[in-house]
Amino acid sequence: LCVVMQRGDRNLLAALQHRFASIQWSLVKKIGEDVLHAMAHMHSKKLVHGDIKPLNVMAVNSSWLVIDLDVARKIGEAYGDKAPSSGYCAPEMAKAMLAALAGGGGIVGALYGVFASIAGDLWSFGVVLFFMAAACQLLATDLDNNLGPGDLALLANWSHADLNKRLFERNLPKKNSLLVDLLTKLLEPDPGTSPSTTPEWGPKPRDSSARKAKALYVAPRPDNLPSTTGPTTATTITPSGPAYSTRSKSAVGPRA
């Protein structure tokens, strides 16, 4: 049996080496929109990608697609022996990883008490968006996209002050205040505790989160994120209900 798939041009990590980050806001907006639409499609199918990162975002013609579902789980399903890359995981996942390391064991196989949630994907997207906006990683990772013990502990105890420090270090508030507002909401330390009420989703996930509640469940439309390097006051980001957008399409195909 052979599966014929589209040929990818390059992944986002390779594209970032061409230094468009923090300069070409229109491209940052385009990639962000494509990734959010892919996430929205998965979430509408009650699935969480679990490992959103530049290596898993691939350019195909004029679209940016999300690939590699190795860590993907149903919403509310335990990660178990599938560990996401710690450099892009949310603080709640980092806490579980840190506890596993402190106990003398490895991370793989220690995540049966950590359940897949939309909040986790939103955080990961926020880290990718920060990378594109700031032209540097939120926290430095190794070649496998994982954090060292010190940075893993920092992520596990993430605070608003940690994010603000990094935003101002990269001068992002002056470069693009609207994008900073989105990053602040995506990189919210508290995922929330409101559970899903849909029984077939398995264990109650933490997917009705502070990240979602703070106006994040909407993909950036062309009029949401500016394509210039200057500040803007002409547009705002507002929530539009329980889905990212009614325009959500396939996670593995371009949008019309």
Side-chain angles (χ1 to χ4, degrees), residues 36-157:
L36 273 178
H37 275 281
M39 288 168 53
H41 177 74
M42 289 195 68
H43 296 167
S44 73
K45 303 299 182 183
K46 301 182 176 63
L47 294 171
V48 168
H49 185 279
D51 203 20
I52 299 290
K53 59 184 180 180
L55 277 174
N56 289 341
V57 177
M58 181 70 67
V60 177
N61 298 321
S62 61
S63 296
W64 292 84
L65 312 182
V66 174
I67 64 171
D68 194 353
L69 305 183
D70 184 53
V71 182
R73 288 287 185 270
K74 293 180 180 179
I75 293 176
E77 183 181 4
Y79 279 100
D81 59 355
K82 291 293 185 181
S85 304
S86 60
Y88 292 86
C89 75
E92 55 269 23
M93 175 66 77
K95 289 178 182 177
M97 291 180 171
L98 201 63
L101 293 175
I107 292 175
V108 176
L111 302 179
Y112 285 95
V114 183
F115 304 105
S117 71
I118 289 172
D121 271 359
L122 289 174
W123 173 278
S124 299
F125 172 71
V127 179
V128 172
L129 188 59
F130 180 91
F131 198 164
M132 291 194 291
C136 71
Q137 293 178 303
L138 185 69
L139 295 171
T141 68
D142 60 21
L143 294 178
D144 295 320
N145 299 132
N146 291 317
L147 300 174
D151 280 335
L152 185 64
L154 176 59
L155 177 59
N157 296 284

Side-chain angles (χ1 to χ4, degrees), residues 180-210:
V180 166
D181 180 63
L182 180 59
L183 284 169
T184 301
K185 294 167 182 174
L186 283 167
L187 299 175
E188 162 65 39
D190 180 12
T193 56
S194 300
S196 166
T197 56
T198 309
E200 66 268 24
W201 287 10
K204 293 182 178 180
R206 301 166 75 192
D207 65 323
S208 183
S209 66

